[in-house]
């Protein structure tokens, strides 16, 4: 797939945001030109009154009542599910070959949603229209507000069927989109005072404190964020990715590709041949856990097996597209903190 302008990452570039496999609105009642990076604006709701939400494109969607039929990118649907908000349809990686939930589906009951497409960029417009959607919700990985996994060739047809809401996960720290999803869920009727929700938020805050403490106590431990494909090993830089930007802000010492190496991907990552996978020295390797990538247990490359971190068993999963609920993000911080606390210096 050819690259687009470097100022806007391609599907390959964003899917490799942390080293992934390279597989990868018009009906809003009103809009404005506010910037998206500051987190957007407020939402309003009412039991029987009008509903509105200002998204991270600066677009305000207004409806006569809170949307009942919500269609979302799979990861977004999973995040809303954690807050008690049920979506009717999803698009994106949802089930594996055995019909089990994909990692991006989280705890969502995939048997109770209509799957409009089970891979990135797959979207059945006829099924979507049949749901009579009130709103479509997805993330956006670029400054232009492009809806993630909505096919470019059919985006205009899709936009005519329902307004859309975008939560930005581009060039900001994890806490910002978490807060925005939290606000969106509340506007859609979530009970943010529920014990489960309160406990998950507290767990996330505690995990952040633990990771900060671990990073401060072990500043010499180097962490590499990678992803495997058949021919290429991707090494992610910390810029642009919400999880890595946040972990770095907490003090984690990351391996950083050079700017020249990242240039081809618009700043996201560096690609290495398997022969050169030992270019960067690391004590811990975080590997992309998405189903379109090769998982560590299935990598049969001699150079990989000889990496010090691999030989030491210091390889942990990473979620480049984290499910944006506190319940799902807390373990990401806890796992990295534990890895840093217990890692041997091998680089």
């Amino acid at each position: 797939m050819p690259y687009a302008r470097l100022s806007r990452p391609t599907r390959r570039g964003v899917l490799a945001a942390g080293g992934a496999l390279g597989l990868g609105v018009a009906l809003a009642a009103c809009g404005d030109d506010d910037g998206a990076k500051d987190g957007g604006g407020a939402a309003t709701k009412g039991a029987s009154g009008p509903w509105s939400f200002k998204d991270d494109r600066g677009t305000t969607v207004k409806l006569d009542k809170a949307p009942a039929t919500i269609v979302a990118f799979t990861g977004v649907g999973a995040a809303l599910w954690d807050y008690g908000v049920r979506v009717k349809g999803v698009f994106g990686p949802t089930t594996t070959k055995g019909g089990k939930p994909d990692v991006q589906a989280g705890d969502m009951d995939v048997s109770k949603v209509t799957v409009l497409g089970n891979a990135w960029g797959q979207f059945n417009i006829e099924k979507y229209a049949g749901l009579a959607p009130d709103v479509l919700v997805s993330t956006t990985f670029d400054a232009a507000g492009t809806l993630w996994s909505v096919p470019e060739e059919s985006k205009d047809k899709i936009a005519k069927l329902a307004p859309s809401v975008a939560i930005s996960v581009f060039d900001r720290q994890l806490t910002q989109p978490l807060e925005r999803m939290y606000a969106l869920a509340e506007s859609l009727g979530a009970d943010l005072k529920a014990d489960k929700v309160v406990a998950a938020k507290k767990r996330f805050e505690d995990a952040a404190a633990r990771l900060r403490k671990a990073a401060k106590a072990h500043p010499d431990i180097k962490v590499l964020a990678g992803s495997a494909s058949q021919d290429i090993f991707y090494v992610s830089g910390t810029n642009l990715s919400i999880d890595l930007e946040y972990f770095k802000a907490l003090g984690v010492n990351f391996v950083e590709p050079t700017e020249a190496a990242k240039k081809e991907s618009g700043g996201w990552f560096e690609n290495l041949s398997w022969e050169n996978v030992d270019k960067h020295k690391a004590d811990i390797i975080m590997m992309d856990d998405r189903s379109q990538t090769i998982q560590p247990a299935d990598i049969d490359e001699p150079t990989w097996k000889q990496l010090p971190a691999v030989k030491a068993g210091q390889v942990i999963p990473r979620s480049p597209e984290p499910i944006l609920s506190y319940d799902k993000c807390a373990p990401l911080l806890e796992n990295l903190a534990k890895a840093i606390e217990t890692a041997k210096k091998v680089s």
Side-chain angles (χ1 to χ4, degrees):
M1 176 178 176
Y3 287 101
R5 292 180 294 116
L6 293 182
S7 60
R8 289 186 60 188
T10 62
R11 180 178 78 173
R12 177 186 295 274
V14 179
L15 280 173
L21 184 60
L23 301 174
V25 82
L27 290 188
C30 65
D32 54 47
D33 297 323
D34 291 353
K37 192 169 181 177
D38 63 0
T44 61
K45 66 172 183 175
S48 59
W51 177 88
S52 69
F53 189 84
K54 184 178 179 181
D55 76 359
D56 291 344
R57 299 168 299 185
T59 297
T60 300
V61 176
K62 294 182 178 180
L63 299 173
D64 292 338
K65 59 182 180 179
T69 303
I70 304 165
V71 172
F73 176 70
T74 299
V76 172
L80 293 175
W81 199 277
D82 284 345
Y83 290 116
V85 177
R86 302 297 183 246
V87 299
K88 297 293 180 66
V90 294
F91 54 97
T94 306
T95 61
T96 61
K97 288 184 178 179
K100 296 180 180 179
D102 185 271
V103 65
Q104 294 193 62
D107 293 330
M108 183 167 57
D109 187 343
V110 296
S111 70
K112 294 183 178 180
V113 296
T114 298
V115 180
L116 305 179
N118 197 33
W120 194 95
Q122 290 183 0
F123 197 110
N124 188 310
I125 299 177
E126 289 72 24
K127 282 187 177 181
Y128 181 56
L131 290 174
D134 294 318
V135 69
L136 180 149
V137 189
S138 190
T139 50
T140 177
F141 277 83
D142 61 27
T146 305
L147 293 172
W148 186 237
S149 200
V150 172
E152 180 70 20
E153 64 275 13
S154 53
K155 66 178 183 179
D156 292 339
K157 292 181 180 179
I158 293 168
K160 291 178 180 179
L161 295 171
S164 61
V165 167
I167 300 297
S168 180
V169 290
F170 175 67
D171 194 17
R172 63 202 61 209
Q173 295 181 22
L174 177 62
T175 47
Q176 291 176 274
L178 271 174
E179 290 166 359
R180 295 294 288 141
M181 192 66 70
Y182 186 80
L184 176 61
E186 182 180 33
S187 79
L188 294 170
D191 178 8
L192 300 187
K193 294 182 180 179
D195 290 345
K196 178 183 177 181
V197 175
V198 173
K201 196 169 188 293
K202 176 64 164 55
R203 181 183 174 187
F204 178 87
E205 292 164 353
D206 291 345
R210 178 183 174 184
L211 180 55
R212 186 188 296 276
K213 182 178 178 180
K216 185 176 182 180
H218 304 278
D220 59 331
I221 296 298
K222 294 182 179 179
V223 181
L224 182 148
S227 181
S229 70
Q230 183 174 353
D231 299 316
I232 298 174
F233 183 81
Y234 299 92
V235 178
S236 178
T238 56
N239 289 343
L240 306 182
S241 297
I242 56 172
D243 60 331
L244 302 185
E245 284 202 15
Y246 185 52
F247 299 158
K248 183 179 180 180
L250 292 174
V252 176
N253 181 8
F254 279 100
V255 170
E256 295 281 3
T258 64
E259 291 304 313
K262 294 188 296 181
K263 185 176 180 181
E264 184 182 4
S265 67
W268 289 95
F269 65 95
E270 173 183 10
N271 57 340
L272 299 173
S273 65
W274 283 106
E275 290 77 12
N276 295 316
V277 74
D278 59 354
K279 175 181 177 180
H280 300 289
K281 308 303 179 184
D283 303 295
I284 297 170
I285 301 176
M286 303 176 69
M287 288 295 289
D288 189 337
D289 67 357
R290 291 173 294 181
S291 57
Q292 67 263 38
T293 68
I294 301 175
Q295 296 306 300
D298 299 319
I299 299 175
D300 190 25
E301 297 286 345
T303 48
W304 164 261
K305 294 177 180 179
Q306 290 303 311
L307 292 177
V310 175
K311 293 173 70 174
Q314 295 175 177
V315 179
I316 64 173
R318 177 201 168 206
S319 299
E321 292 181 62
I323 294 171
L324 296 172
S325 70
Y326 291 105
D327 181 74
K328 294 299 180 292
C329 287
L332 307 182
L333 278 69
E334 292 168 345
N335 292 343
L336 181 54
K338 181 179 179 180
I340 293 173
E341 291 164 351
T342 60
K344 296 177 182 179
K345 181 67 180 174
V346 296
S347 65

